[in-house]
Each structure stands twice: as structure tokens, then as C-alpha cells.
Amino acid sequence: MVRVEKLGKFFGALEVLRDIDMEVAKGEVVVLIGASGSGKTTLLRCINCLETPTRGRIWVGGDAMGEFDSDGRFRPLSERLLNERRAHIGMVFQRFNLFPHLTALENVKLAPVMVKKTAPAEARELALRLLAKVGLSEKADVYPSKLSGGQQQRVAIARALAMSPNLMLFDEPTSSLDPELVGEVLETMKQLAQEGMTMIIVTHEMGFAREVGNRILFLHEGRILEQGPPDAVFGNPREERTRAFLARVR
């Protein structure tokens, strides 16, 4: 589903990602862990080109997300073509980014109508099904300001699912939530994993990562320093830096 080769990203003189190679199979849940500043969010944003990579190659679903010069430089696609490919990628951010003037139902049905030209009645039915899926049927006509943080994030997940994505990207989806609201969002994500959704997740929730992830990638200073099944990475990490990180976050 995802293939990344020699991905690098600079912000000015600062090198944030260094020669990232990774693959994600269809139906796999890959969890990115690491200290703040290790490059996790930048890697996630480069996969769907919300950040333009400096060099390297990226494919999602077999489609190239950019054009690749012979010297390794990454050149972005046209906005039209990039948007066509992004339409198959759902992304959930730290902040919920819901439109405050739209109800939960209107937030979820907007993209299918605007992007996929779905008929409004059909989009409404889809939105109602997805709100039910995330346990928010009774909140369809409620505005974001009247929803808890956990409810807003579940609406954001339903909104991403409304585009029928092949891949879901989650960028620390619980980091802005009060502790008592974290569980409801993680349960929704666990359900998606059980249904076979391909997901790449940046999170600091180590228990969740161990339970749901098929593979854990530990990033350090812009590199994938260690990766493997959860039991191996959490139970018997090879790298001293991985051991030090896990000792701090447990």
C-alpha cells in the first residue's frame, strides 16, 4: 500500500528526515514512535505530500506521489493530480479541524459532495452510517462547539472515512484530549484495525501501539533506528536509544 525509498526532508539547513525506507502492506497497522522532534509527523505528512519531500520516492497504492529526478530530488505533481491521489488517503490530525459553522453531519458529508460529486441525499446517508460507526448517531445535528474533544475527534475520523480511503494516517490523534476522553478515540481506531484498514499511526500511547500495531517503527533524529513486531520492540529492543526512550515513556 505504501512504499518509501530514500526519503529526505530539509527545513532550510535543518535535516529532519534522513534516508527513510519503509513499506506498509495492505491491511497492516504501522505505528511510529519516538521522541518529539524525531521526524514522525513530518514523515506522515510527506507520505501524502502535505509536506513536499526534499528527495526520495513515495508510492501509495502503486501510484507515485511525486516525480523523481535522476539526482534524487523530489518534484511535486500538479495540484490536480496530487488531489486525485490524496482523495484515497484519509488523515486525522492532532487538532480536530472541524468546520465550526457546520454540524457533525454536515462536516462528514461535505467532502463526498464537494470532491466526489456524490448526490447530497446519498452523502447524508453515508454520513449518518459513519457517525453511527463511531458511536455518534445522536450528535448528527450538533455543532463542534457543543461536542467534547473525544467526540470531535471521532467526527474527524468519520469525515476522513467518508472519502472511502485505502489508507488512514493518524497524527497523534489523542494528544489534544483530556485523559478520560482518550479511550473512546482509541476504541474507534481499534475497530478500524480489526476491519482491515491500512493505517500509519503516530502516537505516544504505548499500550495502544503494542495492542494494535502489526509493526513498530522507532524514529530517532530523522532515521528509522529500529523496527519490528510490538513484542520484539517493546519487550526486547536491540538499540540502547530505543531502550532509553521506552524507559521514559512507560
Side-chain angles (χ1 to χ4, degrees):
M1 183 62 73
V2 179
R3 180 178 163 203
V4 176
E5 291 183 355
K6 303 301 178 188
L7 179 66
K9 174 64 178 176
F10 281 82
F11 289 107
L14 178 63
E15 188 175 17
V16 179
L17 296 177
R18 309 164 188 251
D19 291 329
I20 297 287
D21 292 318
M22 65 179 288
E23 292 187 353
V24 180
K26 183 178 180 180
E28 189 176 22
V29 178
V30 171
V31 182
L32 309 180
I33 65 171
S36 296
S38 59
K40 306 182 301 298
T41 291
T42 301
L43 172 55
L44 206 66
R45 292 173 63 88
C46 281
I47 288 172
N48 67 355
C49 293
L50 287 177
E51 295 286 355
T52 301
T54 305
R55 62 175 181 266
R57 302 183 177 196
I58 303 170
W59 295 264
V60 176
D63 293 324
M65 296 300 290
E67 298 177 350
F68 319 125
D69 289 344
S70 57
D71 62 359
R73 286 185 301 173
F74 186 100
R75 288 189 291 120
L77 302 172
S78 69
E79 197 65 23
R80 178 191 62 81
L81 187 54
L82 187 55
N83 284 337
E84 286 179 6
R85 295 186 179 176
R86 281 190 186 131
H88 302 288
I89 305 170
M91 187 159 184
V92 178
F93 300 88
Q94 296 179 32
R95 302 302 303 177
F96 322 122
N97 296 333
L98 299 178
F99 292 108
H101 63 291
L102 300 179
T103 65
L105 177 67
E106 291 166 340
N107 265 282
V108 175
K109 77 175 188 178
L110 182 64
V113 171
M114 299 296 292
V115 178
K116 300 179 77 173
K117 309 304 180 186
T118 304
E122 183 181 346
R124 176 183 171 83
E125 290 180 7
L126 171 65
L128 288 171
R129 288 200 304 272
L130 290 172
L131 287 172
K133 182 183 185 71
V134 299
L136 292 174
S137 293
E138 76 285 358
K139 301 294 185 181
D141 297 320
V142 177
Y143 289 91
S145 63
K146 302 298 184 182
L147 298 173
S148 70
Q151 290 169 340
Q152 289 186 61
Q153 192 63 294
R154 284 186 282 156
V155 172
I157 293 172
R159 181 179 60 181
L161 292 173
M163 291 295 288
S164 302
N166 299 318
L167 169 69
M168 286 285 287
L169 307 177
F170 291 88
D171 183 16
E172 298 191 30
T174 61
S175 66
S176 298
L177 301 179
D178 292 333
E180 67 267 24
L181 302 177
V182 168
E184 63 191 58
V185 174
L186 296 183
E187 282 301 318
T188 299
M189 295 170 66
K190 288 177 188 177
Q191 180 183 347
L192 292 178
Q194 291 164 0
E195 293 171 357
M197 174 63 74
T198 309
M199 300 195 287
I200 305 176
I201 303 169
V202 173
T203 185
H204 291 292
E205 300 287 340
M206 295 299 115
F208 170 77
R210 187 165 192 165
E211 179 181 354
V212 174
N214 300 118
R215 192 154 42 96
I216 308 298
L217 274 59
F218 173 68
L219 272 69
H220 178 61
E221 296 182 346
R223 299 183 186 276
I224 298 175
L225 187 63
E226 184 164 354
Q227 63 177 302
D231 286 348
V233 173
F234 287 109
N236 188 28
R238 299 188 311 271
E239 301 290 336
E240 176 57 37
R241 187 66 191 82
T242 314
R243 291 194 289 271
F245 170 77
L246 292 174
R248 285 205 313 273
V249 298
R250 281 170 176 161

